[in-house]
Amino acid sequence: MKDRTDVEFKHYKSLDTIIERLRGENGCPWDRKQTPETMMIYLIEEVYELAEAIESENHDAICEELGDVLFQLLFIAKLFQEKNHFNMEDAARINAEKMINRHPHVFGDVKVKDTKEIRENWQKIKMKEKNHSAQKSILESIPANLPALMRAYRVSERAAGTGFDWDNISGVMDKVEEEWAELKAELGKNGDGKRTEEVSLEFGDVLFTLVNVARFAKIHPETALTDSTRKFEKRFKHMEEAVSAAKRKINETSRSEMDQLWENAKVEVKN
């Protein structure tokens, strides 16, 4: 990288200025050819990297990934600004108006009892807004491309907000048992492997019902599964290290020995 004076470096500290330069006539050919559709993919990737950084609780990584997400957002806004559709200030203004409107208990004189009532009011206000008022279903505004567990949680939460819900977590657990029995029955019919679609649907029913268990337990299934997967990874890597220390490979280890290594990993790697 060429040396730059402090004055020149300060000039490029503005992300907006950097993006203008990248998109300019003498800028970067790669940046110049980007579209909102191509940048959307990079934004999604950066958001996942930010989520991973937050999970790690590494403040330096969180700071860096936040900056990457911000850059992607500003870049996308610049693409629309170039076509005279809107700019980032317009987006910020619209969002500010929305947030004020959806928090009448903070910016108005509405009284609320608890967070449950806040969420109910939020949804009522949201459905009255221009871009939601024409919707025929309260589920329409849930993005179709959300990860499956996140979308299942949002769908069940939205439906429950209408009163279509179990009375308590015991009712949901009974439903889990019912769905589990149906999955076992379908698996029993699948001896020839021709009923995979039916098995898949029953398996999905089990997962969806478990999502509702998570909702009643006030945890998020996406976070819970992420934590459990990370715990499994740590324990499996611990097994691999133990095998490697004996100068062997994991796939050459007997099942009984792997079971014992796994039990050791459970003791030594708690979470």
Side-chain angles (χ1 to χ4, degrees):
M1 180 182 292
K2 295 179 180 178
D3 292 334
R4 293 200 175 105
T5 64
D6 289 342
V7 173
E8 188 178 4
F9 181 71
K10 288 177 182 177
H11 176 70
Y12 288 111
K13 275 191 174 180
S14 164
L15 286 179
D16 192 59
T17 303
I18 291 172
I19 294 169
E20 284 186 0
R21 177 69 183 272
L22 292 172
R23 293 280 298 170
E25 185 176 347
N26 297 315
C28 172
W30 186 91
D31 289 282
R32 285 172 54 82
K33 73 175 185 179
Q34 297 309 306
T35 67
E37 289 75 21
T38 60
M39 294 303 296
M40 174 185 68
I41 304 302
Y42 297 111
L43 173 61
I44 292 171
E45 289 177 359
E46 293 295 353
V47 169
Y48 275 109
E49 290 182 16
L50 172 60
E52 186 173 339
I54 291 173
E55 287 284 345
S56 74
E57 298 184 352
N58 182 326
H59 296 169
D60 290 339
I62 295 169
C63 181
E64 180 179 349
E65 297 302 339
L66 272 173
D68 289 344
V69 170
L70 177 60
F71 180 85
Q72 302 295 330
L73 291 172
L74 291 172
F75 197 106
I76 291 170
K78 180 64 70 176
L79 296 177
F80 285 100
Q81 181 180 346
E82 290 171 357
K83 295 183 179 298
N84 296 318
H85 293 308
F86 63 84
N87 59 29
M88 200 62 180
E89 289 183 5
D90 295 325
R93 174 181 50 78
I94 291 170
N95 187 260
E97 292 172 355
K98 182 193 297 183
M99 290 302 105
I100 291 172
N101 186 51
R102 292 186 185 179
H103 290 83
H105 55 288
V106 176
F107 300 102
D109 54 7
V110 172
K111 304 297 182 184
V112 292
K113 294 181 296 184
D114 50 32
T115 55
K116 180 176 181 293
E117 193 169 330
I118 291 172
R119 294 180 69 86
E120 290 173 351
N121 288 344
W122 174 285
Q123 191 58 35
K124 289 176 183 176
I125 295 168
K126 181 178 179 179
M127 294 308 295
K128 290 179 181 178
E129 292 170 354
K130 183 175 64 176
N131 58 332
H132 295 286
S133 59
Q135 292 177 357
K136 296 179 181 179
S137 170
I138 62 171
L139 306 180
E140 284 185 29
S141 62
I142 301 173
N145 291 329
L146 276 177
L149 275 180
M150 293 178 67
R151 190 165 192 276
Y153 186 89
R154 191 64 68 206
V155 166
S156 64
E157 181 183 53
R158 195 72 60 82
T162 69
F164 186 68
D165 202 6
W166 288 270
D167 293 330
N168 50 54
I169 195 169
S170 296
V172 198
M173 293 302 297
D174 289 341
K175 187 64 176 176
V176 171
E177 296 289 346
E178 177 187 327
E179 296 293 355
W180 182 250
E182 291 179 8
L183 173 60
K184 288 170 67 177
E186 197 58 58
L187 283 168
K189 301 175 188 176
N190 198 43
D192 57 4
K194 294 180 179 179
R195 297 179 63 83
T196 54
E197 183 176 350
E198 290 82 357
V199 171
S200 178
L201 287 171
E202 293 298 344
F203 184 76
D205 288 344
V206 171
L207 287 179
F208 187 81
T209 311
L210 286 172
V211 165
N212 283 279
V213 172
R215 180 169 57 82
F216 269 87
K218 302 189 185 308
I219 60 175
H220 200 291
E222 189 81 20
T223 304
L225 182 58
T226 297
D227 290 343
S228 289
T229 303
R230 183 179 294 110
K231 180 173 65 176
F232 178 89
E233 287 178 316
K234 287 181 179 178
R235 290 176 176 177
F236 191 84
K237 288 176 181 177
H238 186 277
M239 287 174 54
E240 289 180 309
E241 289 169 2
V243 172
S244 179
K247 300 187 184 308
R248 291 184 292 132
K249 296 180 179 179
I250 190 73
N251 59 347
E252 297 172 351
T253 306
S254 69
R255 177 58 189 271
S256 60
E257 187 177 356
M258 280 198 283
D259 287 343
Q260 184 56 56
L261 288 168
W262 181 255
E263 291 303 318
N264 295 342
K266 285 167 63 177
V267 172
E268 297 180 30
V269 182
K270 296 298 183 182
N271 50 46

